[in-house]
Amino acid sequence: MKTPDWVKHAVFYQIYPDRFARGAGMVHERGLRFQPWGADPAEQGYQGGDLYGVIDKLDYLKTLGVNALYLNPIFSSASNHRYHTFDYLQVDPLLGGNDALRALLEQAHHRGIKVILDGVFNHASRGFWAFHHILENGGDSPYVDWFMINDWPLRPYHSDETQPPNYEAWWNLPALPKFNIKNPGVRDYLLKVARFWLEFGIDGWRLDVPEEIDDVPFWQAFRRVVKEVNPQAYICGEIWGHAGDWLQGDRFDATMNYTFAWSAMSFIGAASLRRDYIKEHMPLTPLSVSEYRQVVERMLSWYSDEVNQAQLNLLDSHDTARALWIMGEDKPSLALCVLLQMTMPGAPCIYYGDEVGVSGADDPYCREAYPWHEPALQDHALLTTYQSLTRLRHAHPVLRLGSVSFIEADNPELLIFKRELGADKALVVVNRTRELQTVNLPAAEYQNYMQEWPATHSSGAIGNQRRLTLAPQQGVVLVLAPHLFDETLYPGLTKVAAEGNKIKGAGEH
């Protein structure tokens, strides 16, 4: 099993295109009408974000530490989320069309930023050309076996719980007819789509509800096509739990790691979790230090290091409430969760706007517009924290590739784990409590560790112990013999000498 090397060093940023940014270079046909930017997302209309808007914000994303983008669906669709695809070979004109994607890929790649797209291959839309052909021709359509028809005439618009669609549809939603993957024409078409966009220049696929396509040979063929075009292309499946069978080298490289998400929030946000938020596959309930350790150790034991380092470690997404909302608007808890994202194995993924404090309940409220139009709604202190943590991850390979082991200490309230990569070592200490906490570490082992994050900290020696003092809801990252780094890459970094409280500037080594 070999996963793409670049993913192990990536910090992803997930973008919901209609709600991220309107591009200055976007020219729409005359006569179109969009909702105002920042309108209530429950209205489900179009607010006019496009791919040129993403291009305009690439430099902002670079300063955030992002070097990979995951875009929610961008193909032609009659829904703002675009999971109702009607043309898989055309970027939605409202997003700028194929030319806009080509421009985005050129500008992103120029900045060293990869781009993966959302592939929705389990179902299409009732506007998809082959399904439309069936609607017009009934059983006489040559495409009748591309879908699974149960009765005639079809009910694409007049279905409800008592009279469900008379064709197979995702969650019985008439707008989403399921493909008949057993049909060789359907398989050929979907594999052609996968190949087309990889040859166009994208860097991989995130695959929507792949478990609903219960067809191992199809996914094996999908992987062969993807890796034939680009052996370093990333294949990430939306599987919310254990996915062992999918990650054996013949299908996916990784999954969206929702286990990381719910366990981090359940541990860090234990005191502030919303008890009224119930989400399938996300058992959000307070976890103790030992319980959290057990979840993480089990999660890491599921897969090889090669897979764990490529997992997409998210906190929230378009399919969940915002992490900040889930944790009761507790920003220090959000920051500590991001610390775990940046110091544990797997590629961190930031959902657009989280870095400035965007909050909201489950779909559709988690799909609001990025508040470019309201600077007062942007938490710049939180943004600075995100930036410092992504810089920390980029600065130290041990935080991306090192092994993980949990440390027993004299303070059971603290989570402590070590990353090791050859001679490089990092120690992460997390105080999720609302009280000051101290921990004593053996000086013989930890006296030469120097603090890399945050910039200021209380550290001292007591006998043969090194004592760390952590403020409420604070984390500390110590690194042994860190490599020299470029100050332009990691400005303002300070180190704390292990022997006391002397703070040294980033240029002093």
Side-chain angles (χ1 to χ4, degrees):
M1 178 63 175
K2 187 73 175 71
T3 57
D5 290 332
W6 64 266
V7 176
K8 302 160 191 172
H9 306 281
V11 173
F12 278 86
Y13 192 83
Q14 181 187 348
I15 291 176
Y16 191 90
D18 184 65
R19 305 292 166 77
F20 181 59
R22 291 178 175 175
M26 180 68 189
V27 179
H28 287 292
E29 299 88 347
R30 294 192 300 167
L32 299 185
R33 182 171 61 185
F34 294 101
Q35 291 180 318
W37 192 256
D40 184 349
E43 295 178 14
Q44 295 286 13
Y46 292 78
Q47 296 189 26
D50 55 67
L51 297 188
Y52 290 109
V54 179
I55 293 172
D56 292 344
K57 303 302 182 184
L58 287 175
D59 288 338
Y60 161 77
L61 295 174
K62 194 71 176 176
T63 65
L64 179 57
V66 168
N67 57 5
L69 302 181
Y70 152 39
L71 303 181
N72 283 116
I74 63 172
F75 305 134
S76 294
S77 174
S79 62
N80 66 54
H81 52 71
R82 296 184 171 86
Y83 283 93
H84 298 51
T85 310
F86 64 73
D87 188 344
Y88 286 84
L89 297 176
Q90 175 64 51
V91 174
D92 198 311
L94 294 177
L95 295 178
N98 290 9
D99 288 345
L101 178 59
R102 189 175 303 280
L104 172 59
L105 291 172
E106 290 175 355
Q107 291 296 320
H109 290 163
H110 176 71
R111 292 167 172 81
I113 298 174
K114 305 286 189 180
V115 180
I116 68 168
L117 299 184
D118 210 324
V120 188
F121 300 140
N122 171 68
H123 50 267
S125 74
R126 59 190 162 209
F128 177 66
W129 57 269
F131 194 77
H132 177 72
H133 203 279
I134 298 170
L135 290 178
E136 294 294 325
N137 293 278
D140 294 329
S141 171
Y143 298 102
V144 68
D145 289 331
W146 275 42
F147 298 89
M148 292 165 279
I149 310 299
N150 299 323
D151 193 14
W152 302 97
L154 298 185
R155 297 191 294 269
Y157 290 99
H158 305 290
S159 306
D160 54 35
E161 291 184 1
T162 61
Q163 193 178 38
N166 50 1
Y167 49 88
E168 296 300 310
W170 188 70
W171 281 40
N172 273 339
L173 296 172
L176 299 173
K178 285 174 61 72
F179 279 118
N180 177 15
I181 299 294
K182 301 297 183 185
N183 185 294
V186 171
R187 297 169 88 91
D188 291 346
Y189 176 77
L190 295 178
L191 294 177
K192 179 179 75 172
V193 170
R195 178 182 295 276
F196 178 85
W197 293 110
L198 286 161
E199 291 177 344
F200 195 90
I202 70 169
D203 300 291
W205 289 100
R206 177 269 186 187
L207 298 166
D208 186 60
V209 295
E211 291 176 293
E212 307 227 4
I213 301 179
D214 187 14
D215 190 317
V216 173
F218 170 76
W219 289 119
Q220 291 171 330
F222 184 91
R223 182 180 181 87
R224 287 195 297 272
V225 167
V226 168
K227 299 298 183 177
E228 178 182 299
V229 178
N230 179 3
Q232 283 291 305
Y234 185 41
I235 308 174
C236 180
E238 184 206 3
I239 298 177
W240 290 52
H242 182 232
D245 290 344
W246 295 84
L247 301 175
Q248 298 298 317
D250 63 338
R251 282 173 271 177
F252 300 163
D253 296 313
T255 65
M256 298 182 74
N257 196 356
Y258 280 100
T259 300
F260 174 87
W262 65 256
S263 62
M265 289 186 287
S266 294
F267 168 62
I268 296 295
S272 58
L273 281 176
R274 289 182 185 265
R275 303 303 179 90
D276 58 344
Y277 182 58
I278 308 297
K279 187 72 176 179
E280 188 177 9
H281 308 302
M282 290 186 72
L284 291 159
T285 185
L287 294 178
S288 66
V289 173
S290 62
E291 289 169 336
Y292 177 67
R293 283 179 50 174
Q294 290 172 12
V295 173
V296 173
E297 288 173 337
R298 182 172 69 250
M299 176 184 76
L300 295 176
S301 74
W302 287 340
Y303 315 118
S304 66
D305 289 343
E306 189 73 17
V307 171
N308 285 328
Q309 291 166 4
Q311 286 283 77
L312 193 69
N313 284 356
L314 67 160
L315 293 174
D316 50 6
S317 74
H318 64 292
D319 282 328
T320 72
R322 295 270 182 171
L324 184 57
W325 186 90
I326 291 172
M327 293 186 289
E329 310 299 332
D330 184 355
K331 290 180 181 178
S333 285
L334 176 60
L336 282 181
C337 284
V338 177
L339 172 63
L340 293 180
Q341 270 191 305
M342 300 300 162
T343 56
M344 280 197 171
C349 185
I350 302 166
Y351 187 42
Y352 78 103
D354 278 359
E355 74 276 14
V356 292
V358 173
S359 184
D362 217 327
D363 168 23
Y365 302 101
C366 58
R367 303 175 178 183
E368 61 275 65
Y370 190 106
W372 305 111
H373 61 303
E374 291 285 354
L377 297 178
Q378 301 173 34
D379 187 328
H380 293 283
L382 184 61
L383 174 61
T384 298
T385 297
Y386 269 82
Q387 291 171 324
S388 69
L389 286 168
T390 59
R391 288 197 297 267
L392 173 71
R393 183 174 181 86
H394 289 313
H396 298 289
V398 66
L399 296 178
R400 309 190 296 273
L401 303 176
S403 63
V404 181
S405 58
F406 288 94
I407 305 299
E408 295 286 354
D410 60 2
N411 187 334
E413 295 295 331
L414 298 178
L415 175 74
I416 307 175
F417 61 93
K418 182 186 290 187
R419 305 292 307 272
E420 297 184 79
L421 182 66
D424 290 345
K425 304 179 191 298
L427 189 74
V428 182
V429 185
V430 177
N431 174 21
R432 57 87 184 261
T433 75
R434 269 60 172 175
E435 300 174 353
L436 184 109
Q437 300 286 346
T438 62
V439 61
N440 294 311
L441 302 170
E445 182 174 0
Y446 295 106
Q447 64 180 348
N448 293 323
Y449 279 67
M450 303 176 75
Q451 183 167 319
E452 297 288 274
W453 191 91
T456 58
H457 163 62
S458 176
S459 175
I462 299 180
N464 61 353
Q465 300 288 308
R466 180 179 179 183
R467 169 166 289 187
L468 302 179
T469 302
L470 286 82
Q473 296 182 278
Q474 183 194 27
V476 169
V477 180
L478 308 175
V479 176
L480 177 65
H483 294 291
L484 297 179
F485 52 84
D486 184 348
E487 168 68 8
T488 62
L489 172 68
Y490 201 6
L493 181 67
T494 59
K495 300 175 183 296
V496 178
E499 65 270 18
N501 296 332
K502 178 184 176 185
I503 299 177
K504 298 194 294 185
E508 299 173 28
H509 299 285

